[in-house]
Amino acid sequence: RGRLLFPICNLQGKVVAFGGRVLGEETPKYLNSPESAIFRKRRELFGLHLTKRFLSPNESRVLVVEGYFDFLRVYGSGFRNVVATLGTALTDEHVRVLKRFVPEAGVTFDGDPAGEAASLRGLEVFLEGEMSVKVALVPPGKDPDSLIGERGPGEFQKILEQAHDLFDFKWRSLTRAYSPSDPAGLLKISSEFLETFAKIKNPLLLDHYLKRLAALL
């Protein structure tokens, strides 16, 4: 089929599907095995069977990247606490699986508008699953694979150390799209935040975020 195949393993390390990356210009760029009784994209995370032994409740976080190449580059550069989604958005099932290993996730998606939108959606899935989350912002036009390849693991480490929490990331994203000094922008920012806050189950965290938003607005 002219594709580079990646074996997709379940948590026990058994191959349950394949992901195919086209080598030419055909579409779709990526093609996964169809879902079956043993393979559900909403649940499986690429590489978790390898990284699970490096994860524990004492580990600060698990890194979540977008694709096979990002996983291979990050894992091969010494960051063993990484998994990748299978070309799908993060789901509540992904969060339930990850919560078994660590208390916090670090979402590291591509530095473009689509990647930022995916990050925001992912953040809310973690919130609903009551798992702490931060976002590491990769420079525009880069992804973890290209960033490490061009600038080295040290640059990627700096980005991880500067990760934003949910509130800061959403504020940054919304205030680039809407002006808080404009009444229409103020309403849009407020409503977007309140939709997110509605998914927070911890009352102390909700109170903290509401006070921060009130102070800024």
Side-chain angles (χ1 to χ4, degrees):
R1 299 290 293 275
R3 290 178 182 270
L4 176 64
L5 292 181
F6 295 88
I8 299 168
C9 297
N10 64 14
L11 198 54
Q12 291 72 44
K14 296 179 179 179
V15 176
V16 293
F18 292 92
R21 178 17 168 124
V22 71
L23 296 174
E25 299 301 320
E26 295 83 4
T27 56
K29 188 175 181 180
Y30 285 94
L31 187 64
N32 287 331
S33 298
E35 296 207 347
S36 67
I38 62 168
F39 173 56
R40 294 182 63 198
K41 285 192 294 186
R42 287 181 55 84
R43 178 178 175 80
E44 301 298 341
L45 288 157
F46 187 72
L48 184 56
H49 68 293
L50 297 174
T51 61
K52 66 179 182 180
R53 70 176 188 270
F54 300 105
L55 303 176
S56 73
N58 298 320
E59 173 66 48
S60 59
R61 73 183 81 157
V62 59
L63 304 177
V64 182
V65 296
E66 271 193 286
Y68 308 116
F69 288 106
D70 287 332
F71 171 85
L72 292 171
R73 177 75 76 172
V74 173
Y75 185 88
S77 298
F79 302 90
R80 305 299 194 193
N81 58 328
V82 60
V83 296
T85 55
L86 300 176
T88 60
L90 283 159
T91 69
D92 56 343
E93 292 180 71
H94 287 144
V95 174
R96 281 200 297 270
V97 171
L98 292 175
K99 270 183 73 175
R100 292 164 51 187
F101 298 97
V102 287
E104 182 176 285
V107 179
T108 313
F109 284 149
D110 295 357
D112 55 29
E116 188 166 299
S119 296
L120 278 169
R121 289 193 299 272
L123 286 172
E124 297 190 350
V125 173
F126 282 107
L127 268 186
E128 291 178 282
E130 297 187 83
M131 186 174 182
S132 297
V133 61
K134 289 189 176 180
V135 181
L137 298 172
V138 179
K142 303 293 181 187
D143 56 28
D145 176 30
S146 62
L147 179 71
I148 295 174
E150 294 173 15
R151 305 183 190 176
E155 190 67 22
F156 186 64
Q157 179 63 41
K158 289 180 186 177
I159 286 172
L160 296 181
E161 291 170 356
Q162 297 166 1
H164 298 253
D165 74 359
L166 173 144
F167 186 97
D168 292 329
F169 179 70
K170 194 170 183 80
W171 175 261
R172 174 185 178 276
S173 178
L174 288 175
T175 53
R176 285 195 302 176
Y178 312 103
S179 171
S181 60
D182 175 71
L186 185 69
L187 285 173
K188 184 64 177 175
I189 293 169
S190 300
S191 63
E192 289 271 353
F193 263 106
L194 291 174
E195 283 181 21
T196 298
F197 291 169
K199 299 172 183 177
I200 299 176
K201 297 176 182 177
N202 185 308
L204 292 176
L205 182 61
L206 177 59
D207 183 63
H208 171 70
Y209 280 149
L210 282 168
K211 287 176 178 175
R212 287 186 66 186
L213 182 63
L216 286 169
L217 295 180

PDB file of all heavy atoms in Angstrom, residues 58-88:
ATOM      1  N   ASN A  58       4.353   9.297  41.789  1.00  0.00           N
ATOM      2  CA  ASN A  58       5.377  10.272  42.164  1.00  0.00           C
ATOM      3  C   ASN A  58       5.959  11.008  40.957  1.00  0.00           C
ATOM      4  O   ASN A  58       6.648  12.007  41.103  1.00  0.00           O
ATOM      5  CB  ASN A  58       6.514   9.571  42.917  1.00  0.00           C
ATOM      6  CG  ASN A  58       6.026   8.935  44.206  1.00  0.00           C
ATOM      7  OD1 ASN A  58       5.203   9.508  44.911  1.00  0.00           O
ATOM      8  ND2 ASN A  58       6.518   7.738  44.505  1.00  0.00           N
ATOM      9  N   GLU A  59       5.697  10.479  39.744  1.00  0.00           N
ATOM     10  CA  GLU A  59       6.148  11.128  38.509  1.00  0.00           C
ATOM     11  C   GLU A  59       5.303  12.388  38.310  1.00  0.00           C
ATOM     12  O   GLU A  59       4.097  12.373  38.519  1.00  0.00           O
ATOM     13  CB  GLU A  59       5.977  10.172  37.327  1.00  0.00           C
ATOM     14  CG  GLU A  59       6.246  10.786  35.968  1.00  0.00           C
ATOM     15  CD  GLU A  59       7.692  11.196  35.772  1.00  0.00           C
ATOM     16  OE1 GLU A  59       8.572  10.387  36.066  1.00  0.00           O
ATOM     17  OE2 GLU A  59       7.914  12.336  35.349  1.00  0.00           O
ATOM     18  N   SER A  60       5.941  13.487  37.914  1.00  0.00           N
ATOM     19  CA  SER A  60       5.216  14.750  37.827  1.00  0.00           C
ATOM     20  C   SER A  60       4.084  14.708  36.810  1.00  0.00           C
ATOM     21  O   SER A  60       2.993  15.203  37.067  1.00  0.00           O
ATOM     22  CB  SER A  60       6.178  15.890  37.488  1.00  0.00           C
ATOM     23  OG  SER A  60       6.828  15.638  36.260  1.00  0.00           O
ATOM     24  N   ARG A  61       4.328  14.140  35.627  1.00  0.00           N
ATOM     25  CA  ARG A  61       3.283  14.151  34.604  1.00  0.00           C
ATOM     26  C   ARG A  61       3.593  13.162  33.482  1.00  0.00           C
ATOM     27  O   ARG A  61       4.710  12.667  33.371  1.00  0.00           O
ATOM     28  CB  ARG A  61       3.124  15.548  34.028  1.00  0.00           C
ATOM     29  CG  ARG A  61       4.270  15.955  33.099  1.00  0.00           C
ATOM     30  CD  ARG A  61       4.135  17.377  32.605  1.00  0.00           C
ATOM     31  NE  ARG A  61       4.593  18.339  33.584  1.00  0.00           N
ATOM     32  CZ  ARG A  61       4.991  19.578  33.283  1.00  0.00           C
ATOM     33  NH1 ARG A  61       4.944  20.008  32.046  1.00  0.00           N
ATOM     34  NH2 ARG A  61       5.420  20.389  34.213  1.00  0.00           N
ATOM     35  N   VAL A  62       2.595  12.915  32.657  1.00  0.00           N
ATOM     36  CA  VAL A  62       2.793  12.165  31.423  1.00  0.00           C
ATOM     37  C   VAL A  62       2.626  13.163  30.278  1.00  0.00           C
ATOM     38  O   VAL A  62       1.722  14.004  30.292  1.00  0.00           O
ATOM     39  CB  VAL A  62       1.784  10.999  31.288  1.00  0.00           C
ATOM     40  CG1 VAL A  62       0.343  11.488  31.318  1.00  0.00           C
ATOM     41  CG2 VAL A  62       2.055  10.198  30.023  1.00  0.00           C
ATOM     42  N   LEU A  63       3.513  13.115  29.301  1.00  0.00           N
ATOM     43  CA  LEU A  63       3.433  14.008  28.155  1.00  0.00           C
ATOM     44  C   LEU A  63       2.556  13.373  27.081  1.00  0.00           C
ATOM     45  O   LEU A  63       2.695  12.183  26.788  1.00  0.00           O
ATOM     46  CB  LEU A  63       4.830  14.261  27.577  1.00  0.00           C
ATOM     47  CG  LEU A  63       5.886  14.822  28.539  1.00  0.00           C
ATOM     48  CD1 LEU A  63       7.227  14.942  27.834  1.00  0.00           C
ATOM     49  CD2 LEU A  63       5.439  16.170  29.076  1.00  0.00           C
ATOM     50  N   VAL A  64       1.674  14.162  26.500  1.00  0.00           N
ATOM     51  CA  VAL A  64       0.788  13.670  25.443  1.00  0.00           C
ATOM     52  C   VAL A  64       1.103  14.437  24.160  1.00  0.00           C
ATOM     53  O   VAL A  64       0.976  15.660  24.113  1.00  0.00           O
ATOM     54  CB  VAL A  64      -0.689  13.854  25.816  1.00  0.00           C
ATOM     55  CG1 VAL A  64      -1.586  13.277  24.713  1.00  0.00           C
ATOM     56  CG2 VAL A  64      -1.003  13.188  27.148  1.00  0.00           C
ATOM     57  N   VAL A  65       1.555  13.714  23.124  1.00  0.00           N
ATOM     58  CA  VAL A  65       1.878  14.330  21.835  1.00  0.00           C
ATOM     59  C   VAL A  65       0.905  13.816  20.773  1.00  0.00           C
ATOM     60  O   VAL A  65       0.088  12.936  21.035  1.00  0.00           O
ATOM     61  CB  VAL A  65       3.339  14.053  21.424  1.00  0.00           C
ATOM     62  CG1 VAL A  65       4.298  14.698  22.413  1.00  0.00           C
ATOM     63  CG2 VAL A  65       3.615  12.553  21.328  1.00  0.00           C
ATOM     64  N   GLU A  66       1.039  14.350  19.550  1.00  0.00           N
ATOM     65  CA  GLU A  66       0.017  14.083  18.534  1.00  0.00           C
ATOM     66  C   GLU A  66       0.230  12.819  17.714  1.00  0.00           C
ATOM     67  O   GLU A  66      -0.745  12.187  17.323  1.00  0.00           O
ATOM     68  CB  GLU A  66      -0.080  15.273  17.579  1.00  0.00           C
ATOM     69  CG  GLU A  66      -1.045  16.329  18.025  1.00  0.00           C
ATOM     70  CD  GLU A  66      -1.359  17.323  16.932  1.00  0.00           C
ATOM     71  OE1 GLU A  66      -0.495  18.158  16.637  1.00  0.00           O
ATOM     72  OE2 GLU A  66      -2.456  17.267  16.381  1.00  0.00           O
ATOM     73  N   GLY A  67       1.447  12.478  17.395  1.00  0.00           N
ATOM     74  CA  GLY A  67       1.610  11.399  16.431  1.00  0.00           C
ATOM     75  C   GLY A  67       2.774  10.472  16.694  1.00  0.00           C
ATOM     76  O   GLY A  67       3.545  10.635  17.638  1.00  0.00           O
ATOM     77  N   TYR A  68       2.900   9.475  15.809  1.00  0.00           N
ATOM     78  CA  TYR A  68       3.927   8.444  15.941  1.00  0.00           C
ATOM     79  C   TYR A  68       5.335   9.033  15.936  1.00  0.00           C
ATOM     80  O   TYR A  68       6.174   8.674  16.762  1.00  0.00           O
ATOM     81  CB  TYR A  68       3.812   7.438  14.792  1.00  0.00           C
ATOM     82  CG  TYR A  68       2.433   6.853  14.612  1.00  0.00           C
ATOM     83  CD1 TYR A  68       1.706   7.081  13.441  1.00  0.00           C
ATOM     84  CD2 TYR A  68       1.848   6.062  15.598  1.00  0.00           C
ATOM     85  CE1 TYR A  68       0.442   6.543  13.266  1.00  0.00           C
ATOM     86  CE2 TYR A  68       0.585   5.519  15.434  1.00  0.00           C
ATOM     87  CZ  TYR A  68      -0.114   5.767  14.262  1.00  0.00           C
ATOM     88  OH  TYR A  68      -1.366   5.237  14.094  1.00  0.00           O
ATOM     89  N   PHE A  69       5.614   9.924  14.975  1.00  0.00           N
ATOM     90  CA  PHE A  69       6.970  10.481  14.880  1.00  0.00           C
ATOM     91  C   PHE A  69       7.312  11.357  16.076  1.00  0.00           C
ATOM     92  O   PHE A  69       8.451  11.364  16.542  1.00  0.00           O
ATOM     93  CB  PHE A  69       7.134  11.270  13.579  1.00  0.00           C
ATOM     94  CG  PHE A  69       7.191  10.407  12.353  1.00  0.00           C
ATOM     95  CD1 PHE A  69       6.121  10.336  11.478  1.00  0.00           C
ATOM     96  CD2 PHE A  69       8.319   9.647  12.078  1.00  0.00           C
ATOM     97  CE1 PHE A  69       6.168   9.533  10.355  1.00  0.00           C
ATOM     98  CE2 PHE A  69       8.384   8.842  10.950  1.00  0.00           C
ATOM     99  CZ  PHE A  69       7.298   8.779  10.077  1.00  0.00           C
ATOM    100  N   ASP A  70       6.326  12.115  16.555  1.00  0.00           N
ATOM    101  CA  ASP A  70       6.559  12.914  17.762  1.00  0.00           C
ATOM    102  C   ASP A  70       6.914  11.995  18.929  1.00  0.00           C
ATOM    103  O   ASP A  70       7.865  12.251  19.676  1.00  0.00           O
ATOM    104  CB  ASP A  70       5.313  13.735  18.126  1.00  0.00           C
ATOM    105  CG  ASP A  70       5.093  14.897  17.185  1.00  0.00           C
ATOM    106  OD1 ASP A  70       6.077  15.406  16.621  1.00  0.00           O
ATOM    107  OD2 ASP A  70       3.932  15.304  17.019  1.00  0.00           O
ATOM    108  N   PHE A  71       6.147  10.920  19.085  1.00  0.00           N
ATOM    109  CA  PHE A  71       6.434   9.982  20.170  1.00  0.00           C
ATOM    110  C   PHE A  71       7.847   9.422  20.053  1.00  0.00           C
ATOM    111  O   PHE A  71       8.611   9.408  21.029  1.00  0.00           O
ATOM    112  CB  PHE A  71       5.432   8.818  20.171  1.00  0.00           C
ATOM    113  CG  PHE A  71       5.820   7.720  21.129  1.00  0.00           C
ATOM    114  CD1 PHE A  71       5.467   7.788  22.472  1.00  0.00           C
ATOM    115  CD2 PHE A  71       6.591   6.642  20.707  1.00  0.00           C
ATOM    116  CE1 PHE A  71       5.853   6.795  23.369  1.00  0.00           C
ATOM    117  CE2 PHE A  71       6.990   5.643  21.589  1.00  0.00           C
ATOM    118  CZ  PHE A  71       6.614   5.720  22.918  1.00  0.00           C
ATOM    119  N   LEU A  72       8.208   8.953  18.866  1.00  0.00           N
ATOM    120  CA  LEU A  72       9.512   8.308  18.678  1.00  0.00           C
ATOM    121  C   LEU A  72      10.658   9.270  18.970  1.00  0.00           C
ATOM    122  O   LEU A  72      11.651   8.898  19.595  1.00  0.00           O
ATOM    123  CB  LEU A  72       9.624   7.758  17.257  1.00  0.00           C
ATOM    124  CG  LEU A  72       8.697   6.580  16.942  1.00  0.00           C
ATOM    125  CD1 LEU A  72       8.723   6.263  15.455  1.00  0.00           C
ATOM    126  CD2 LEU A  72       9.099   5.348  17.746  1.00  0.00           C
ATOM    127  N   ARG A  73      10.515  10.517  18.495  1.00  0.00           N
ATOM    128  CA  ARG A  73      11.581  11.503  18.723  1.00  0.00           C
ATOM    129  C   ARG A  73      11.694  11.850  20.212  1.00  0.00           C
ATOM    130  O   ARG A  73      12.789  11.912  20.770  1.00  0.00           O
ATOM    131  CB  ARG A  73      11.291  12.771  17.919  1.00  0.00           C
ATOM    132  CG  ARG A  73      12.305  13.887  18.147  1.00  0.00           C
ATOM    133  CD  ARG A  73      13.614  13.635  17.442  1.00  0.00           C
ATOM    134  NE  ARG A  73      13.472  13.892  16.023  1.00  0.00           N
ATOM    135  CZ  ARG A  73      14.484  13.904  15.168  1.00  0.00           C
ATOM    136  NH1 ARG A  73      15.725  13.691  15.610  1.00  0.00           N
ATOM    137  NH2 ARG A  73      14.287  14.114  13.883  1.00  0.00           N
ATOM    138  N   VAL A  74      10.554  12.094  20.866  1.00  0.00           N
ATOM    139  CA  VAL A  74      10.574  12.492  22.275  1.00  0.00           C
ATOM    140  C   VAL A  74      11.077  11.344  23.144  1.00  0.00           C
ATOM    141  O   VAL A  74      11.964  11.516  23.987  1.00  0.00           O
ATOM    142  CB  VAL A  74       9.164  12.948  22.723  1.00  0.00           C
ATOM    143  CG1 VAL A  74       9.132  13.204  24.228  1.00  0.00           C
ATOM    144  CG2 VAL A  74       8.766  14.220  21.968  1.00  0.00           C
ATOM    145  N   TYR A  75      10.540  10.158  22.942  1.00  0.00           N
ATOM    146  CA  TYR A  75      10.946   8.989  23.727  1.00  0.00           C
ATOM    147  C   TYR A  75      12.428   8.672  23.496  1.00  0.00           C
ATOM    148  O   TYR A  75      13.173   8.405  24.439  1.00  0.00           O
ATOM    149  CB  TYR A  75      10.079   7.792  23.351  1.00  0.00           C
ATOM    150  CG  TYR A  75      10.326   6.547  24.187  1.00  0.00           C
ATOM    151  CD1 TYR A  75       9.627   6.351  25.385  1.00  0.00           C
ATOM    152  CD2 TYR A  75      11.235   5.565  23.791  1.00  0.00           C
ATOM    153  CE1 TYR A  75       9.832   5.222  26.156  1.00  0.00           C
ATOM    154  CE2 TYR A  75      11.447   4.434  24.560  1.00  0.00           C
ATOM    155  CZ  TYR A  75      10.739   4.262  25.735  1.00  0.00           C
ATOM    156  OH  TYR A  75      10.956   3.139  26.498  1.00  0.00           O
ATOM    157  N   GLY A  76      12.851   8.747  22.231  1.00  0.00           N
ATOM    158  CA  GLY A  76      14.241   8.444  21.889  1.00  0.00           C
ATOM    159  C   GLY A  76      15.229   9.485  22.377  1.00  0.00           C
ATOM    160  O   GLY A  76      16.436   9.233  22.413  1.00  0.00           O
ATOM    161  N   SER A  77      14.714  10.664  22.769  1.00  0.00           N
ATOM    162  CA  SER A  77      15.577  11.733  23.277  1.00  0.00           C
ATOM    163  C   SER A  77      15.680  11.725  24.795  1.00  0.00           C
ATOM    164  O   SER A  77      16.232  12.651  25.386  1.00  0.00           O
ATOM    165  CB  SER A  77      15.060  13.103  22.806  1.00  0.00           C
ATOM    166  OG  SER A  77      15.076  13.191  21.396  1.00  0.00           O
ATOM    167  N   GLY A  78      15.124  10.676  25.416  1.00  0.00           N
ATOM    168  CA  GLY A  78      15.274  10.522  26.855  1.00  0.00           C
ATOM    169  C   GLY A  78      14.073  10.901  27.690  1.00  0.00           C
ATOM    170  O   GLY A  78      14.092  10.754  28.911  1.00  0.00           O
ATOM    171  N   PHE A  79      13.000  11.398  27.037  1.00  0.00           N
ATOM    172  CA  PHE A  79      11.775  11.740  27.769  1.00  0.00           C
ATOM    173  C   PHE A  79      10.874  10.502  27.759  1.00  0.00           C
ATOM    174  O   PHE A  79      10.081  10.296  26.833  1.00  0.00           O
ATOM    175  CB  PHE A  79      11.065  12.928  27.119  1.00  0.00           C
ATOM    176  CG  PHE A  79      11.917  14.165  27.018  1.00  0.00           C
ATOM    177  CD1 PHE A  79      12.700  14.395  25.893  1.00  0.00           C
ATOM    178  CD2 PHE A  79      11.949  15.100  28.051  1.00  0.00           C
ATOM    179  CE1 PHE A  79      13.483  15.539  25.784  1.00  0.00           C
ATOM    180  CE2 PHE A  79      12.728  16.242  27.958  1.00  0.00           C
ATOM    181  CZ  PHE A  79      13.509  16.457  26.820  1.00  0.00           C
ATOM    182  N   ARG A  80      11.025   9.669  28.764  1.00  0.00           N
ATOM    183  CA  ARG A  80      10.347   8.374  28.748  1.00  0.00           C
ATOM    184  C   ARG A  80       8.876   8.441  29.129  1.00  0.00           C
ATOM    185  O   ARG A  80       8.147   7.472  28.958  1.00  0.00           O
ATOM    186  CB  ARG A  80      11.058   7.405  29.704  1.00  0.00           C
ATOM    187  CG  ARG A  80      12.545   7.230  29.429  1.00  0.00           C
ATOM    188  CD  ARG A  80      12.821   6.673  28.058  1.00  0.00           C
ATOM    189  NE  ARG A  80      14.192   6.202  27.933  1.00  0.00           N
ATOM    190  CZ  ARG A  80      14.771   5.903  26.776  1.00  0.00           C
ATOM    191  NH1 ARG A  80      14.093   6.008  25.656  1.00  0.00           N
ATOM    192  NH2 ARG A  80      16.022   5.489  26.743  1.00  0.00           N
ATOM    193  N   ASN A  81       8.431   9.565  29.655  1.00  0.00           N
ATOM    194  CA  ASN A  81       7.049   9.689  30.142  1.00  0.00           C
ATOM    195  C   ASN A  81       6.134  10.273  29.071  1.00  0.00           C
ATOM    196  O   ASN A  81       5.429  11.250  29.284  1.00  0.00           O
ATOM    197  CB  ASN A  81       7.001  10.558  31.402  1.00  0.00           C
ATOM    198  CG  ASN A  81       7.582  11.945  31.163  1.00  0.00           C
ATOM    199  OD1 ASN A  81       8.498  12.115  30.356  1.00  0.00           O
ATOM    200  ND2 ASN A  81       7.069  12.945  31.860  1.00  0.00           N
ATOM    201  N   VAL A  82       6.120   9.673  27.880  1.00  0.00           N
ATOM    202  CA  VAL A  82       5.373  10.238  26.764  1.00  0.00           C
ATOM    203  C   VAL A  82       4.484   9.187  26.113  1.00  0.00           C
ATOM    204  O   VAL A  82       4.819   8.005  26.068  1.00  0.00           O
ATOM    205  CB  VAL A  82       6.345  10.847  25.713  1.00  0.00           C
ATOM    206  CG1 VAL A  82       7.292   9.789  25.164  1.00  0.00           C
ATOM    207  CG2 VAL A  82       5.589  11.527  24.591  1.00  0.00           C
ATOM    208  N   VAL A  83       3.325   9.626  25.627  1.00  0.00           N
ATOM    209  CA  VAL A  83       2.419   8.796  24.838  1.00  0.00           C
ATOM    210  C   VAL A  83       1.889   9.658  23.694  1.00  0.00           C
ATOM    211  O   VAL A  83       2.008  10.881  23.722  1.00  0.00           O
ATOM    212  CB  VAL A  83       1.234   8.256  25.671  1.00  0.00           C
ATOM    213  CG1 VAL A  83       1.713   7.319  26.767  1.00  0.00           C
ATOM    214  CG2 VAL A  83       0.404   9.389  26.250  1.00  0.00           C
ATOM    215  N   ALA A  84       1.283   9.009  22.697  1.00  0.00           N
ATOM    216  CA  ALA A  84       0.710   9.745  21.565  1.00  0.00           C
ATOM    217  C   ALA A  84      -0.712   9.282  21.307  1.00  0.00           C
ATOM    218  O   ALA A  84      -1.043   8.108  21.502  1.00  0.00           O
ATOM    219  CB  ALA A  84       1.558   9.549  20.313  1.00  0.00           C
ATOM    220  N   THR A  85      -1.536  10.220  20.865  1.00  0.00           N
ATOM    221  CA  THR A  85      -2.879   9.854  20.427  1.00  0.00           C
ATOM    222  C   THR A  85      -2.778   9.262  19.021  1.00  0.00           C
ATOM    223  O   THR A  85      -1.796   9.468  18.318  1.00  0.00           O
ATOM    224  CB  THR A  85      -3.810  11.072  20.409  1.00  0.00           C
ATOM    225  OG1 THR A  85      -3.228  12.099  19.597  1.00  0.00           O
ATOM    226  CG2 THR A  85      -4.014  11.610  21.814  1.00  0.00           C
ATOM    227  N   LEU A  86      -3.803   8.559  18.606  1.00  0.00           N
ATOM    228  CA  LEU A  86      -3.786   7.861  17.312  1.00  0.00           C
ATOM    229  C   LEU A  86      -4.514   8.678  16.242  1.00  0.00           C
ATOM    230  O   LEU A  86      -5.422   8.189  15.571  1.00  0.00           O
ATOM    231  CB  LEU A  86      -4.425   6.484  17.452  1.00  0.00           C
ATOM    232  CG  LEU A  86      -3.750   5.547  18.458  1.00  0.00           C
ATOM    233  CD1 LEU A  86      -4.526   4.249  18.588  1.00  0.00           C
ATOM    234  CD2 LEU A  86      -2.308   5.262  18.057  1.00  0.00           C
ATOM    235  N   GLY A  87      -4.130   9.941  16.118  1.00  0.00           N
ATOM    236  CA  GLY A  87      -4.764  10.788  15.129  1.00  0.00           C
ATOM    237  C   GLY A  87      -6.165  11.221  15.513  1.00  0.00           C
ATOM    238  O   GLY A  87      -6.921  11.707  14.676  1.00  0.00           O
ATOM    239  N   THR A  88      -6.516  11.042  16.771  1.00  0.00           N
ATOM    240  CA  THR A  88      -7.842  11.438  17.240  1.00  0.00           C
ATOM    241  C   THR A  88      -7.704  12.419  18.389  1.00  0.00           C
ATOM    242  O   THR A  88      -6.641  12.552  18.988  1.00  0.00           O
ATOM    243  CB  THR A  88      -8.636  10.213  17.747  1.00  0.00           C
ATOM    244  OG1 THR A  88      -7.920   9.615  18.833  1.00  0.00           O
ATOM    245  CG2 THR A  88      -8.830   9.197  16.643  1.00  0.00           C
TER     246      THR A  88
END
